Amino acid sequence: MTSTLLGGATDLRSRLRLAAATVLRISPDHVGDDTSFTSLGLDSLAAAELTTVVGDMLGVAIPLTAVHEYSTVAALARFIEGGSHSGVTPCERMRADAVLPEDIRPHFIAGSPAARTRDARHILLTGATGFLGAHLLRTLLDETDARILCLVRGRTRDGVEADMRLIDNLARYGLDDARTAARVVAVEGDLARPHLGMSPTTFDALAHGVEAIIHGGAQVDWVRGYDGLRDVNVLGTREILRLACRGVPKPVHFISSLGVCYSLIGPRALDEGEDALPLLEGLRLGYAQSKCIAEALVREAGRRGLPVSIVRPALLSGDSVDGRSNVDDLLTRFIAGCVSMMAAPDLDWRVDCLPVDQVARAIVRLAREHATGTGVAHISAKQPRHWRECVLWMRLCGYELELLPYHEWLERLGDEATVGHCLHPLRSFFLHPVAGENGLTLPEVYEESRRARIRDERSHERLAALGAGCSSIDSALLDRYFAQYVVARVVPDVRRRYEMKAGAGLPSSPATIDALRPEVERALRQRCGDPSLSIEGVTLAPMGGDDSIVSELTSWREGAEMGLFRGAVAVRGANGSMTARVVVKVKPSDESVLEVAESVAALASPTLGREYARFRDFHGFTRCHVRELALYRESDPRIRRHSPAPLALSPVGETHRVTLVLEEIPASGLFHPGDADAPWSPVLLGAAIDGAAQIHSLWYGREAELMEQTWLAPVRDSARLTSMRPLWSALVDHARTHSPAWRDALLARTHHQLVERVSEWSIPLTGLPRALIHNDFNPRNIGMLTTSAPRLCAFDWELATIGLPQRDLAELLCWTLHASTPREEVAAWIERARVQLSAATGARIEASDWELGFRAALCELLVDRLAMYAMVDRFRPQRYLPRVARTWMTLQSYYPWRGE
């Protein structure tokens, strides 16, 4: 770029002044050559818009961070002309800022105890006029008796005084009340200026007037470069530390960001003990860089003796009560833009969001707990949502979105995000590549495969002990967020294809099982041998856990009282009061489940969506709600002994919603590993195989009778499985393209070959003797009763069907064995299953037929079930899938399909 190209420096500066004035909606006369853009009101969105305007005006590519790093007309002009910071790298400039001046050092009086935040009567809070700051202020008011001094910039250009901005900000998020005025004091100051913009006398008075500091003030921005954030985020932190060391040393609790951990160099997993400064060169976000340098200053103050703590929260979302959010942030605009464009980028993002009120509570309680030294905590979601899952939720909510490859989405962004569009100011954020990253943009740099993983186990333990754990974003909370978005006109109000029940959320009463109360009482009387026993009350709580995406979204869609709950039933009888522990399972209709499953398939791929819908009756979900009821009504001990005991069930004929009240098995008596990676011990695996043989023996050899059961889903014979080849092909294409497990070329090739040969291996599936099989027989749905000799306990019978017993066996072995398991051991388990079933039924089962059925079952397991898991994995990671796929490959290498 040269001055000749741009028409000369004088002309260039005039044009830059005009561009800045246009974006900031002020007169060009107010834009001096050396006037900071920030002082003129430049925020993150205006910065992105100014970058776009300058780039379009000059016909050149302007880096996203340019207007922040070169934040005056003169500096920006010099950058465009080609001269800036010659001889000094950006990281060298940052590291120079990480040196804490020698005069910032605490001085303790001998014998005096170190100050603790929990004892403070006066607490200084910075950032109180922000989103998190408002909730911090509210939490401090609610959980302490201290007077809260809030550092606030003085009168704004529109004449609003500092104290009114505090009150208005609390009111904006519904947090103001009568207590606010009495205990809140606005202190005029500016983080971007030396001594916080105060006179020496005022600075000293403030230092002697507080006993603790929570430093949350910052420019939170995903767009600005380091230089644009330095004054507030770095130098402001330096001045806060100076204040803390003046007079009696005061603890400082610094609010950083998990963004400091997302370096592209260094370890792939970072815990709370990791110092981010050595990884600075791998940080690509200006905000993360500024927090990294500020952390370095705080750490050095801690080494000099100042009590300090660092809290690294994840992204903030709306509050957990009514969903009020910061509708002006980048993420909200991004969502609104996707809704407007009817398209979302297919990015491998985990949306690690936490409700802002819970984060504020965690920060305050960590601060009050901290005593000495330097403490670091990570505040992150236990189960972050994948971006694609959020897109799926929006589709189910009624917003018509398609998932596009990122660069295809960028093309649409360029076409549609014209002036006035909510994403127009942010086009450069998405479009401009990051220097040194081979053309990748910032959104691509922060995909899961490129950034480090956060370790937060110690922090979760600390927060749990403090009663300050943070919940993950679930469907009900997303619903509240979007309700607030609609009120704020961020997104349009859309009418869903189904009716949501009022008050969606957690059940607060026993209404869910009221209709079954007499049946529950009868069951408990019989179990306790007390005919006078009666129920006095019932409380329910969601069981949580990593439920399937289809189950969770179906429950959300149907309303508050759907799902799986742990219940406490208070009863009184002849021997006094007691509490019975139960599990309550409330199931929607099969049609609701099918609609959600079809939405998952359609978003994964239009072709997959069409084929999935075409064969909707043959996925096993049809009549799933009444099937489980029927099987829990089955009195044969071969099932009852190997599944939870039912206390009460919905009456026959219930179709919209069915309820099961089951006896809860104490955790101390149940081995339920879920998705654990460790292979099962021989004792447990043997007990599972023996129990399965008992279950299979109930209907083995009675196929004609089983086929007459009205609760059975349509059965797939060989012809049907062969006719479904277009679906199997769409699944294998999707898995090869999108699933990490299918990066194994041999697995992908084998999968494709088996789809082509479905007409062969499907014949034994219906030609060999069949039984009632669980059809979801893996450690997520089975456990082992361990109070005496291990005994199988199978639950979640929704997918039960008629099929080869070897199908349950193949699934069980894929989950419970290791990929390195030797062939002899696998053969022994397969033989044990044959012998046990033969003994339980009295039937002669030929070893060759049993092995043939096992080979065919392995084929079906991959082509149908594992391929379906690969589809779901794109939206909600299925952690077990790579391991299970590897074990499947081992078993298939021992027992390949040979076309017998």
Side-chain angles (χ1 to χ4, degrees):
M1 291 180 286
T2 66
S3 59
T4 303
L5 174 66
L6 300 173
T10 302
D11 182 57
L12 173 58
R13 294 189 184 194
S14 298
R15 298 169 76 183
L16 292 176
R17 280 196 296 272
L18 179 60
T22 301
V23 170
L24 297 173
R25 295 171 178 79
I26 59 177
S27 168
D29 295 338
H30 293 154
V31 185
D33 282 359
D34 296 310
T35 304
S36 166
F37 294 141
T38 302
S39 69
L40 296 173
L42 187 83
D43 58 20
S44 60
L45 298 179
E49 185 174 4
L50 180 56
T51 302
T52 301
V53 168
V54 171
D56 291 347
M57 177 179 68
L58 301 178
V60 295
I62 302 296
L64 179 64
T65 60
V67 298
H68 300 298
E69 295 180 358
Y70 313 105
S71 56
T72 67
V73 166
L76 186 58
R78 286 194 299 271
F79 166 74
I80 292 173
E81 291 175 317
S84 60
H85 294 302
S86 59
V88 180
T89 68
C91 283
E92 287 173 339
R93 288 187 287 113
M94 295 179 207
R95 289 184 181 278
D97 288 338
V99 178
L100 188 67
E102 273 301 315
D103 64 321
I104 301 179
R105 186 178 294 276
H107 298 282
F108 295 93
I109 300 174
S112 297
R116 298 191 61 168
T117 302
R118 70 181 183 189
D119 302 322
R121 305 301 303 165
H122 301 84
I123 298 174
L124 176 65
L125 172 65
T126 68
T129 56
F131 181 46
L132 174 60
H135 288 83
L136 283 170
L137 178 54
R138 179 74 273 154
T139 305
L140 286 167
L141 290 170
D142 291 342
E143 299 204 355
T144 77
D145 295 324
R147 202 173 188 201
I148 313 302
L149 286 72
C150 301
L151 188 71
V152 187
R153 286 197 304 273
R155 182 191 297 243
T156 60
R157 285 184 296 162
D158 54 9
V160 179
E161 298 288 353
D163 55 351
M164 286 307 301
R165 294 215 309 284
L166 276 177
I167 303 303
D168 290 348
N169 194 52
L170 286 173
R172 178 184 181 187
Y173 299 111
L175 303 174
D176 57 325
D177 65 18
R179 294 171 293 173
T180 300
R183 290 174 49 208
V184 177
V185 178
V187 177
E188 290 194 12
D190 188 345
L191 286 170
R193 298 173 61 191
H195 288 83
L196 306 178
M198 301 175 184
S199 67
T201 301
T202 304
F203 189 79
D204 282 347
L206 179 61
H208 288 85
V210 297
E211 294 90 46
I213 302 172
I214 296 180
H215 179 33
Q219 288 182 282
V220 181
D221 198 310
W222 284 25
V223 175
R224 296 187 187 217
Y226 174 83
D227 285 351
L229 302 170
R230 173 179 181 267
D231 287 356
V232 171
N233 294 1
V234 177
L235 303 187
T237 300
R238 183 190 67 190
E239 296 309 300
I240 288 295
L241 295 171
R242 187 188 304 279
L243 182 80
C245 292
R246 190 70 58 92
V248 176
K250 294 158 280 294
V252 174
H253 308 287
F254 174 63
I255 301 172
S256 183
S257 166
L258 277 180
V260 303
C261 299
Y262 296 139
S263 176
L264 301 181
I265 63 173
R268 298 305 301 160
L270 286 85
D271 63 16
E272 297 90 338
E274 194 74 44
D275 184 351
L277 187 61
L279 310 177
L280 176 65
E281 282 74 8
L283 294 176
R284 295 292 181 265
L285 195 64
Y287 177 68
Q289 293 166 342
S290 70
K291 285 294 185 180
C292 174
I293 300 303
E295 277 196 16
L297 296 175
V298 173
R299 286 178 180 275
E300 178 56 29
R303 282 189 286 268
R304 296 179 185 182
L306 189 69
V308 297
S309 68
I310 297 170
V311 178
R312 297 168 172 169
L315 289 173
L316 302 178
S317 57
D319 72 66
S320 61
V321 179
D322 63 11
R324 290 200 191 196
S325 304
N326 179 7
V327 298
D328 296 322
D329 65 16
L330 183 145
L331 186 58
T332 302
R333 279 185 172 260
F334 177 49
I335 290 173
C338 290
V339 169
S340 174
M341 294 166 58
M342 301 178 67
D346 189 1
L347 288 164
D348 186 18
W349 281 351
R350 282 199 323 166
V351 185
D352 193 354
C353 288
L354 294 169
V356 63
D357 55 323
Q358 296 181 0
V359 172
R361 179 187 62 192
I363 291 171
V364 170
R365 293 189 182 179
L366 286 169
R368 287 169 59 78
E369 175 215 34
H370 184 69
T372 59
T374 301
V376 181
H378 289 168
I379 307 181
S380 59
K382 285 189 175 181
Q383 296 177 356
R385 298 288 163 166
H386 199 282
W387 164 243
R388 298 187 193 104
E389 186 177 348
C390 295
V391 175
L392 173 62
W393 184 91
M394 287 188 276
R395 277 176 62 98
L396 287 169
C397 196
Y399 296 98
E400 296 299 328
L401 293 174
E402 60 178 324
L403 203 58
L404 295 179
Y406 183 57
H407 288 278
E408 200 173 310
W409 182 81
L410 289 180
E411 291 180 8
R412 186 177 295 192
L413 175 72
D415 293 339
E416 296 190 19
T418 55
V419 176
H421 190 279
C422 60
L423 286 181
H424 180 260
L426 301 175
R427 287 190 306 168
S428 57
F429 173 79
F430 293 104
L431 292 168
H432 285 183
V434 178
E437 293 302 328
N438 299 318
L440 296 176
T441 61
L442 272 173
E444 293 172 296
V445 165
Y446 283 93
E447 288 191 289
E448 285 302 301
S449 60
R450 295 185 178 92
R451 73 180 190 180
R453 185 170 62 90
I454 302 300
R455 297 291 302 272
D456 51 15
E457 294 85 355
R458 284 181 291 173
S459 296
H460 280 301
E461 289 179 5
R462 288 176 61 193
L463 291 171
L466 294 171
C470 295
S471 59
S472 298
I473 303 299
D474 60 15
S475 298
L477 191 53
L478 279 173
D479 203 44
R480 294 198 285 277
Y481 288 163
F482 269 71
Q484 289 292 334
Y485 286 168
V486 169
V487 170
R489 298 185 179 181
V490 171
V491 297
D493 193 2
V494 294
R495 190 171 185 82
R496 299 190 181 96
R497 293 175 296 161
Y498 48 85
E499 268 189 42
M500 283 290 295
K501 290 180 169 29
L506 303 181
S508 57
S509 74
T512 302
I513 62 171
D514 268 353
L516 299 177
R517 186 178 184 129
E519 193 173 346
V520 175
E521 281 188 340
R522 283 194 298 272
L524 292 176
R525 287 169 183 167
Q526 183 176 0
R527 287 177 179 275
C528 298
D530 183 355
S532 68
L533 185 147
S534 62
I535 294 177
E536 293 189 321
V538 178
T539 58
L540 297 176
M543 290 189 67
D546 192 13
D547 296 330
S548 80
I549 189 171
V550 173
S551 297
E552 180 186 330
L553 291 175
T554 303
S555 298
W556 160 75
R557 197 185 96 153
E558 293 295 322
E561 293 184 344
M562 290 287 179
L564 193 63
F565 307 100
R566 180 171 284 111
V569 182
V571 297
R572 178 176 291 276
N575 297 319
S577 299
M578 59 174 286
T579 299
R581 303 292 177 181
V582 300
V583 171
V584 180
K585 190 172 188 178
V586 190
K587 299 170 59 64
S589 68
D590 57 353
E591 187 63 27
S592 296
V593 176
L594 281 165
E595 286 182 8
V596 172
E598 287 173 5
S599 295
V600 175
L603 187 57
S605 146
T607 300
L608 184 50
R610 286 192 302 271
E611 296 301 331
Y612 192 95
R614 184 153 72 99
F615 297 104
R616 75 191 317 261
D617 289 335
F618 298 96
H619 302 305
F621 291 127
T622 302
R623 295 191 281 277
C624 61
H625 58 311
V626 295
R627 182 157 51 255
E628 189 161 34
L629 277 177
L631 290 173
Y632 273 108
R633 286 197 178 94
E634 175 60 59
S635 59
D636 191 289
R638 285 171 287 185
I639 283 189
R640 288 281 57 81
R641 178 173 165 77
H642 297 101
S643 59
L647 300 180
L649 304 169
S650 287
V652 176
E654 179 68 58
T655 58
H656 174 65
R657 183 180 74 175
V658 298
T659 303
L660 303 87
V661 182
L662 309 174
E663 180 183 37
E664 182 181 28
I665 301 170
S668 59
L670 180 68
F671 171 74
H672 181 217
D675 293 341
D677 288 337
W680 281 24
S681 71
V683 172
L684 293 177
L685 181 52
I689 289 174
D690 296 350
Q694 291 295 311
I695 293 170
H696 295 152
S697 71
L698 175 61
W699 292 94
Y700 191 80
R702 299 166 55 197
E703 291 184 38
E705 185 181 349
L706 181 57
M707 293 284 283
E708 294 175 358
Q709 303 304 309
T710 58
W711 43 262
L712 199 66
V715 178
R716 306 182 303 196
D717 58 15
S718 178
R720 174 61 64 187
L721 285 166
T722 302
S723 73
M724 296 173 70
R725 184 183 283 125
L727 172 62
W728 310 138
S729 296
L731 282 168
V732 70
D733 289 344
H734 180 271
R736 288 192 301 186
T737 305
H738 298 289
S739 176
W742 268 251
R743 290 174 187 159
D744 181 336
L746 180 57
L747 173 61
R749 184 168 61 252
T750 302
H751 191 171
H752 176 74
Q753 291 169 350
L754 291 179
V755 168
E756 293 301 310
R757 301 177 69 183
V758 61
S759 61
E760 299 175 21
W761 54 258
S762 61
I763 293 175
L765 294 179
T766 53
L768 293 172
R770 293 180 292 176
L772 176 73
I773 63 174
H774 186 278
N775 201 32
D776 205 8
F777 199 65
N778 63 68
R780 298 179 306 147
N781 303 311
I782 65 173
M784 301 302 298
L785 297 169
T786 57
T787 50
S788 55
R791 186 173 84 245
L792 172 69
C793 183
F795 29 91
D796 291 347
W797 289 83
E798 293 95 337
L799 297 180
T801 188
I802 182 172
L804 293 185
Q806 296 94 316
R807 171 62 175 74
D808 280 349
L809 176 64
E811 186 168 8
L812 176 67
L813 294 183
C814 282
W815 257 261
T816 57
L817 295 181
H818 194 273
S820 61
T821 304
R823 178 173 184 146
E824 297 75 23
E825 183 178 336
V826 175
W829 292 124
I830 295 173
E831 176 63 7
R832 177 167 178 158
R834 183 187 72 84
V835 170
Q836 288 293 321
L837 182 58
S838 179
T841 59
R844 180 176 178 177
I845 304 174
E846 296 292 341
S848 59
D849 288 345
W850 186 254
E851 183 179 305
L852 174 63
F854 184 78
R855 294 175 189 270
L858 277 175
C859 297
E860 184 189 32
L861 179 63
L862 176 69
V863 169
D864 183 1
R865 187 58 52 79
L866 298 189
M868 290 289 186
Y869 287 146
M871 177 182 74
V872 173
D873 182 60
R874 190 159 168 218
F875 302 95
R876 179 177 292 180
Q878 308 294 296
R879 295 183 296 272
Y880 57 83
L881 188 55
R883 170 179 54 84
V884 170
R886 289 192 298 271
T887 305
W888 184 94
M889 284 295 295
T890 295
L891 299 185
Q892 194 271 342
S893 71
Y894 299 158
Y895 297 93
W897 179 251
R898 292 173 177 162
E900 289 90 341

